[in-house]
Amino acid sequence: MLKIIIGSFVLSASLFAVDLQSDGVEVNYKNSKDELKNIVIKREKKDECKNVNFDPKTVYGGEHQAADSVDANCKRAFVTYMGKIAPMKFSPKVETYGEVEVLEFIEKAKTDKNMMLVDSRTENWFFHETIPSAINIPYVYMKQSQYPDEFKEYLEILGVKITGDKYDFKNAKEILLFCNGAWCGQSPESMKALIAIGYPEEKLKWYRGGMQSWLSLGLTTVKP
């Protein structure tokens, strides 16, 4: 009986993920004028990309770039950055997410105010482009000694109460953090700082692939 239940759960979860990829997740975000906007996060499947040949010469053309014959709308280009590549697991208690899990998290967060998608990058990165519905909490402001006022402000946003030098994590939110990619240290720095003050590790989730993986799969972004 247990095996049947588990199998059924896995099947329903996978079907839910497929629906999210095809139908999208509708969310709200604020633009630079503080206006509330609505957008659907989904994998973009442009008509001109549907007939691109899936073979080595097309996908990995000269210098690992897509072949010249591929429509410009079907290409993604990224700098090969020399940051330190992070391991797959930040810690035993922090769960690592992929894109499907991020979509599921965003969908659930629409009705669960104790869940929050957090862009850990500094403001210049965030305002250039981010994942819809993400809240910007720059990792630098998690450094209490350097930014005490911002540190307190953002901890309150995360549901943490501060009394003197003590922290109350009873209402701490479940947060999913991300930054630029597997080589980006900004979200790991945020998690390191939060764990150092006692933030429950089981309430931290990490989208390791970050913006680079998100963009490579053609998923929706916004410019706040």
Side-chain angles (χ1 to χ4, degrees), residues 13 38 44 54 57 69 77 88-89 92 122 127 147 173 207-208:
N38 182 270
E44 298 174 2
F54 191 70
K57 291 181 180 179
S69 59
M88 185 58 68
K89 293 286 290 182
T122 50
F127 284 109
Y147 303 95
K173 296 182 184 296
Y207 175 30
R208 176 179 177 269

Side-chain angles (χ1 to χ4, degrees), residues 94-197:
V94 176
E95 191 175 357
T96 304
Y97 276 19
E99 291 72 31
V100 169
E101 290 80 12
V102 174
L103 288 171
E104 291 176 336
F105 186 94
I106 293 171
E107 175 68 18
K108 292 174 183 176
K110 289 165 58 179
T111 55
D112 188 342
K113 301 306 178 185
N114 290 315
M115 299 174 69
M116 183 180 288
L117 178 65
V118 174
D119 186 335
S120 298
R121 302 174 300 164
T122 50
E123 290 98 331
N124 59 326
W125 289 104
F126 175 76
F127 284 109
H128 176 74
E129 194 170 21
T130 191
I131 297 173
S133 79
I135 302 298
N136 187 211
I137 301 183
Y139 79 100
V140 293
Y141 296 144
M142 292 293 97
K143 298 181 179 182
Q144 181 182 15
S145 60
Q146 296 180 35
Y147 303 95
D149 293 336
E150 290 84 356
F151 175 78
K152 182 178 179 180
E153 176 186 349
Y154 282 118
L155 278 189
E156 289 176 351
I157 291 174
L158 295 176
V160 181
K161 289 186 177 181
I162 306 174
T163 305
D165 59 351
K166 294 184 178 179
Y167 305 98
D168 181 357
F169 298 102
K170 182 175 65 176
N171 295 315
K173 296 182 184 296
E174 179 182 346
I175 57 176
L176 171 57
L177 303 98
F178 69 92
C179 52
N180 280 312
W183 45 264
C184 178
Q186 295 181 73
S187 52
E189 281 293 315
S190 287
M191 291 188 288
K192 182 179 178 181
L194 287 170
I195 291 171
I197 63 169

Side-chain angles (χ1 to χ4, degrees), residues 76-82 85 99 121 125 129 131 178-184 207-219 221:
R76 294 290 187 275
F78 306 102
V79 173
T80 303
Y81 189 67
M82 296 307 292
I85 300 175
E99 291 72 31
R121 302 174 300 164
W125 289 104
E129 194 170 21
I131 297 173
F178 69 92
C179 52
N180 280 312
W183 45 264
C184 178
Y207 175 30
R208 176 179 177 269
M211 289 300 298
Q212 197 165 60
S213 292
W214 188 264
L215 288 166
S216 72
L217 292 173
L219 288 159
T221 61

